[in-house]
Amino acid sequence: MHLEIGKFEVKDVQFGSKTTFAEGLLTIHKEEALQVIYEDERITTADLVLAKPTEPVRITPVKDAVEPRCKVTGESVYPGVTTKVLPVGSGRTHALKGVSVLAVGKHWGGFQDGLIDMSGPGAKQTPFSQLLNICLVADTNETFEKQEQQKKNTALRLAALRLAEYLAEPVRKKVPEEVERYSFPPLAKRTQELLTLPAVVYVLQLQSQMLEHGYNATVYGHDAGRMLPTLITPNEVLDGAVVSGSFMPASSKISTYQHVNNATLKRLMKEHGTTINFVGVILSNLNVQLEEKERAALMVAQLASSLGAEGAIVAEEGYGNPDTDFILTYEQLEQTGVKVVGITNECTGRDGRSQPLVDLSAKADAIISTGNVSEHLKLPPMERVIGELEAVARDGNAGGWNESIKEDGSVEIENNAIFCADSSTGDHYKTVKDY
Amino acid sequence: MKKAVHYLNQFFGQIGGENQADIAPQLHEGHVGPGMLLHQKLAPVAEVTHTVICGDNFIGSKTDEAIEQVLTELETIEFDIFIAGPAFLAGRYGLACGALGKAVQERFRVPVIASMNEENPAVEMYAHELYIFSGGANAAAMRKDVKKVADFSKRMLQADKLRPAAEEGYFSRGKRLEAFDGSNRTGAERAVEMLLKKLNDEPFHTEMPMPVPAKVAIAPAVEKMEEATIALVSSGGIVPKGNPDHIQSASATKWGKYEVDALYELEAGSWETIHGGFDPSAANQDPNVIVPLDAMRELEQEAKLGSIHPYIYSTVGTGTTQAEAARMGTEIAKDLQRANVSAVILTST
């Protein structure tokens, strides 16, 4: 399998009379772009607002982030979600780099929504402060969930995917400045040279704790909670096979943007052929019933051992209850003889003195820690808010509470509320240390 | 200029050796002995205005009395920081620095900074309470250790952001909080590097040392169920409609106690879950699936248990830290003990 991702570095974004990309400048014809949004009758009002790094801007409630991409050699960027189920992972995809489309609620937030500060002390909490953000600020007629703490945010999240595809159309036929190439030869046809290197798998535990459809991460459009752990190629993940869901507190969440830019996967692909023989991705899940957790852990270990894996990196999209899936899987792999490094965040409380994970194991001796969900943050007021600040305090945000917003516009929240701050895909510098 | 109080034992306080170890605490104006170095190193941010000296034996054998005397003396002066030692490997001196430092911190709400060798038994006892800097084994390290303590004290007094324990040089206070990787390496780079080390059997350092889990002994079985009073306690967030106690939907710090004595079951519409971490539809349709009052009433009618405690207890167990959960659990347990409850059925979600 051979995938090429053609990169177009976006240096600035502006609105104009035609949607174009030239010399690093992305120009958006707003009215035309909004027509793409309004294709879904559930969207009642929509606007596009730009937020750039270092600006005094706060964005919330953010529901997902998407990288503008188009599939040059096919029809689908997010198969099973924006189109029917089609293959991805090979051929040519073009991507606008340095820019992301954010799905932002005009009013309503929820448990899982995030906050991004483009400057000030909050900016360093999340890598999304470093991108040119095209904010789709919209409201929908999904009244059934307006007062619900748990929201599927279906219309808004789908609209962001459509908008991202629309924005990448101008580069479909252009020659990219740089092409990333990912070759993933079939396992049974690997060279002797590759076979002498230690085989490594990447295990991605997707968030799938909700029983009802529409909240969980999806794989080719299929609810990750309703699958057994599945072997998939890195190419497919980097080319849109996985789309983010709408459940986990924001800091623990993996956005759609991060799935196609999965930093750990890219790093493993870079090592592939030099220090390791990368044998693939096991997409697993995070379930609520013990039997499901045990079954998933067994299946991951079985797949890894069938592949001859000697090493594994396990990433957990969540914290709390999912820690048990993480530890069970870690233990099963180690028991099978696979050496594991885990990537997860922790929940040590505001004073840092609580047990980091819900479940513990002496076998879990190699963990990369990406944040403390309950880190207490006081963020100064921002000149401009995109979305609605009240959502953090009013709508049951996992990191907010009734008194989170102060009169001067400053906020007091837990890290839980910061959008994709504890990137378990490994694209951030944040960690947790002893004080 | 900020004011520092310095603590020394009889030896470093220039009073004498072991034969003077029984002297009672005394407060001196200005600096004494190694306090001069501390005074110089604290400049221009702070000065050592007073020195407390006490014999190691006195404070070791009459700890409460010694501490009370020192606290009473300190009431008469104003100060911003309390610095103890360095105590190096001296066990009694270290314990004195720890016990007194902890008391001063609690009474006066000022930072307390100490310095000891890692082998000093006081490190294990007080590292979670105070900032104890890792110091040398004996007075040969005085200059170096005092400088470390003074530099940190100055930054603390100027309200600078403090760095992680390993970077600053103090022993971990058992607090795990966020930091940014100093060498700007992403999680991905750190993970792959750690995996390669683990694969090659090279030493590596986990970023999350596994705590040893606290084991709770299982209580003995209830012998006579027909005489037992059973209580229902839940972390599933079941509360009277409207959530009268404003229990948080995640990261809860509150628990509620609700009378159910007159109820046969928890009716949908009157009770609801405010738990933010699971799909609430089944629980809202029938709150008894989380708090099984209906099933318990049946058992009560069949005389399979003595009685059901007239109150249910509820909190939310998603994102709730282990420390908060332990505190709430202890509070609820006390309430249950007062009511002579025999056993508890604890349900989650």
Side-chain angles (χ1 to χ4, degrees):
Chain A
M1 195 173 252
H2 189 80
L3 172 68
E4 292 180 348
I5 296 179
K7 293 160 73 169
F8 298 83
E9 197 63 42
V10 179
K11 294 186 185 76
D12 204 0
V13 186
Q14 64 176 22
F15 292 114
S17 56
K18 192 165 185 255
T19 298
T20 56
F21 176 79
E23 286 164 23
L25 179 62
L26 175 66
T27 305
I28 305 170
H29 182 231
K30 196 194 258 193
E31 288 68 34
E32 191 179 272
L34 287 174
Q35 277 172 25
V36 176
I37 304 305
Y38 286 122
E39 279 170 16
D40 187 335
E41 286 174 357
R42 291 174 290 189
I43 306 278
T44 50
T45 59
D47 193 12
L48 300 184
V49 186
L50 304 176
K52 302 177 184 178
T54 74
E55 284 182 350
V57 172
R58 174 163 293 148
I59 315 165
T60 198
V62 183
K63 294 155 194 300
D64 196 9
V66 189
E67 184 172 78
R69 287 175 164 224
C70 64
K71 188 78 198 165
V72 180
T73 54
E75 306 167 38
S76 187
V77 179
Y78 298 104
V81 181
T82 51
T83 65
K84 62 181 181 173
V85 181
L86 291 163
V88 287
S90 53
R92 173 69 77 95
T93 297
H94 282 177
L96 296 178
K97 306 306 286 187
V99 59
S100 102
V101 170
L102 300 180
V104 184
K106 186 174 165 66
H107 297 301
W108 303 103
F111 187 69
Q112 71 292 321
D113 293 345
L115 180 147
I116 300 169
D117 274 359
M118 298 303 290
S119 61
K124 69 177 191 303
Q125 288 293 123
T126 170
F128 283 91
S129 62
Q130 306 306 308
L131 296 174
L132 293 161
N133 287 310
I134 299 159
C135 306
L136 162 61
V137 186
D139 206 356
T140 77
N141 67 4
E142 292 154 308
T143 48
F144 67 94
E145 65 176 13
K146 279 221 162 106
Q147 304 296 330
E148 295 295 324
Q149 190 178 15
Q150 305 290 357
K151 290 184 174 64
K152 297 179 187 176
N153 294 308
T154 311
L156 242 170
R157 291 191 296 124
L158 284 173
L161 296 175
R162 284 200 309 282
L163 176 60
E165 289 193 39
Y166 162 82
L167 292 174
E169 270 313 308
V171 299
R172 178 179 284 277
K173 289 177 181 158
K174 281 193 160 45
V175 179
E177 297 146 23
E178 194 192 327
V179 179
E180 273 176 15
R181 293 186 168 83
Y182 298 99
S183 275
F184 195 75
L187 298 175
K189 304 219 166 132
R190 298 214 160 169
T191 60
Q192 199 52 43
E193 207 179 336
L194 263 181
L195 293 176
T196 55
L197 296 169
V200 169
V201 286
Y202 176 60
V203 181
L204 180 56
Q205 296 184 301
L206 294 170
Q207 179 44 240
S208 64
Q209 285 180 270
M210 290 300 263
L211 302 179
E212 200 181 312
H213 263 308
Y215 296 101
N216 294 336
T218 57
V219 180
Y220 284 100
H222 183 75
D223 187 326
R226 300 178 194 209
M227 66 176 198
L228 284 174
T230 298
L231 182 66
I232 187 169
T233 62
N235 293 20
E236 289 163 274
V237 178
L238 295 173
D239 203 28
V242 181
V243 168
S244 179
S246 183
F247 168 63
M248 202 50 218
S251 81
S252 304
K253 185 185 166 88
I254 301 174
S255 64
T256 303
Y257 180 98
Q258 289 162 300
H259 281 304
V260 295
N261 285 293
N262 188 312
T264 308
L265 256 188
K266 286 188 178 183
R267 191 80 186 80
L268 287 169
M269 284 301 274
K270 207 172 149 193
E271 295 294 329
H272 178 57
T274 313
T275 59
I276 60 165
N277 172 21
F278 187 33
V279 292
V281 180
I282 301 172
L283 287 182
S284 188
N285 43 23
L286 300 164
N287 305 307
V288 285
Q289 288 179 32
L290 183 59
E291 199 179 86
E292 294 171 333
K293 293 172 190 282
E294 287 169 339
R295 189 182 297 121
L298 279 174
M299 284 295 296
V300 168
Q302 179 275 117
L303 285 168
S305 101
S306 298
L307 293 167
E310 290 166 58
I313 291 181
V314 180
E316 173 195 357
E317 189 189 4
Y319 81 99
N321 183 306
D323 293 343
T324 54
D325 306 68
F326 175 71
I327 290 293
L328 272 174
T329 301
Y330 202 122
E331 285 190 323
Q332 275 299 334
L333 283 166
E334 286 276 343
Q335 225 153 301
T336 318
V338 183
K339 290 178 176 172
V340 181
V341 169
I343 310 183
T344 184
N345 56 6
E346 36 193 306
C347 177
T348 58
R350 288 188 189 182
D351 66 356
R353 285 191 162 151
S354 275
Q355 184 177 305
L357 301 177
V358 165
D359 200 5
L360 305 171
S361 168
K363 286 201 175 76
D365 63 354
I367 292 180
I368 297 298
S369 174
T370 57
N372 168 25
V373 298
S374 37
E375 191 85 4
H376 190 220
L377 303 169
K378 285 182 177 173
L379 306 176
M382 285 285 159
E383 280 174 32
R384 205 151 57 91
V385 172
I386 297 175
E388 189 164 285
L389 191 57
E390 286 70 22
V392 176
R394 183 192 59 207
D395 302 340
N397 188 297
W401 53 94
N402 288 343
E403 299 81 24
S404 275
I405 302 163
K406 310 297 166 197
E407 244 169 56
D408 64 353
S410 61
V411 295
E412 196 180 328
I413 50 177
E414 287 188 2
N415 173 46
N416 253 327
I418 305 284
F419 186 71
C420 296
D422 305 340
S423 168
S424 58
T425 48
D427 50 8
H428 198 20
Y429 308 112
K430 195 154 64 94
T431 185
V432 174
K433 290 198 171 166
D434 271 36
Y435 282 82
Chain B
M1 190 148 14
K2 301 278 188 184
K3 297 182 172 76
V5 173
H6 190 202
Y7 176 75
L8 294 169
N9 71 354
Q10 81 284 347
F11 177 74
F12 289 102
Q14 319 268 303
I15 291 176
E18 196 57 32
N19 58 338
Q20 295 294 326
D22 290 311
I23 61 146
Q26 37 189 267
L27 181 69
H28 293 263
E29 271 189 32
H31 53 78
V32 176
M36 180 193 271
L37 183 62
L38 180 64
H39 183 77
Q40 288 165 357
K41 298 283 179 199
L42 285 173
V45 177
E47 57 181 336
V48 177
T49 60
H50 293 82
T51 305
V52 176
I53 301 168
C54 183
D56 282 338
N57 283 349
F58 187 92
I59 192 167
S61 55
K62 300 174 194 162
T63 311
D64 293 347
E65 186 187 331
I67 288 175
E68 206 40 55
Q69 276 189 38
V70 174
L71 294 181
T72 308
E73 293 262 28
L74 291 178
E75 293 281 5
T76 63
I77 61 169
E78 279 179 17
F79 61 106
D80 306 290
I81 196 164
F82 188 85
I83 295 168
F88 311 111
L89 244 177
R92 286 174 307 169
Y93 188 16
L95 291 170
C97 290
L100 184 60
K102 185 174 177 236
V104 168
Q105 183 168 275
E106 278 165 13
R107 175 77 64 93
F108 299 101
R109 301 277 162 208
V110 294
V112 173
I113 321 289
S115 168
M116 297 173 204
N117 184 266
E118 60 183 340
E119 299 287 327
N120 195 313
V123 170
E124 206 185 315
M125 286 177 70
Y126 293 104
H128 281 200
E129 317 278 349
L130 315 170
Y131 288 98
I132 304 179
F133 274 76
S134 175
N138 54 50
M142 182 69 82
R143 187 156 283 277
K144 208 171 104 218
D145 290 356
V146 167
K147 185 177 184 311
K148 276 202 274 187
V149 165
D151 287 348
F152 182 77
S153 299
K154 282 194 281 192
R155 290 189 32 235
M156 183 147 230
L157 288 168
Q158 289 169 314
D160 280 1
K161 191 164 167 52
L162 302 180
R163 296 188 298 256
E167 288 171 36
E168 293 281 7
Y170 58 85
F171 294 104
S172 166
R173 293 179 301 144
K175 288 172 174 249
R176 289 188 57 73
L177 293 168
E178 292 192 335
F180 290 85
D181 185 84
S183 48
N184 269 9
R185 286 172 318 145
T186 62
E189 288 171 299
R190 277 144 48 210
V192 172
E193 185 181 300
M194 194 180 286
L195 182 67
L196 291 176
K197 283 184 176 165
K198 198 168 173 177
L199 282 170
N200 295 327
D201 293 320
E202 289 166 20
F204 58 87
H205 296 285
T206 181
E207 294 179 358
M208 190 195 294
M210 270 292 139
V212 181
K215 295 273 183 200
V216 178
I218 296 171
V222 177
E223 281 179 18
K224 293 184 178 166
M225 272 304 285
E226 62 280 10
E227 290 173 18
T229 303
I230 311 292
L232 292 170
V233 180
S234 178
S235 63
I238 297 287
V239 293
K241 184 90 181 164
N243 190 15
D245 293 316
H246 306 290
I247 297 172
Q248 302 93 329
S249 292
S251 307
T253 58
K254 298 175 192 167
W255 54 273
K257 174 182 175 183
Y258 307 108
E259 192 167 353
V260 293
D261 213 19
L263 305 181
Y264 187 80
E265 60 173 353
L266 302 180
E267 273 181 42
S270 305
W271 298 78
E272 62 176 344
T273 181
I274 44 103
H275 193 293
F278 76 113
D279 188 334
S281 36
N284 286 335
Q285 267 168 35
D286 180 6
N288 300 279
V289 299
I290 302 282
V291 178
L293 185 63
D294 55 352
M296 292 296 285
R297 288 285 181 225
E298 273 180 42
L299 293 171
E300 191 181 36
Q301 280 183 351
E302 292 166 17
K304 288 195 174 140
L305 52 86
S307 65
I308 298 166
H309 183 55
Y311 298 92
I312 62 163
Y313 298 75
S314 188
T315 185
V316 164
T318 189
T320 306
T321 63
Q322 168 261 331
E324 283 296 329
R327 176 188 57 77
M328 290 192 281
T330 308
E331 289 168 6
I332 294 171
K334 279 193 185 136
D335 204 61
L336 294 168
Q337 277 176 332
R338 276 196 292 272
N340 285 321
V341 165
S342 333
V344 172
I345 293 179
L346 183 63
T347 56
S348 58
T349 53

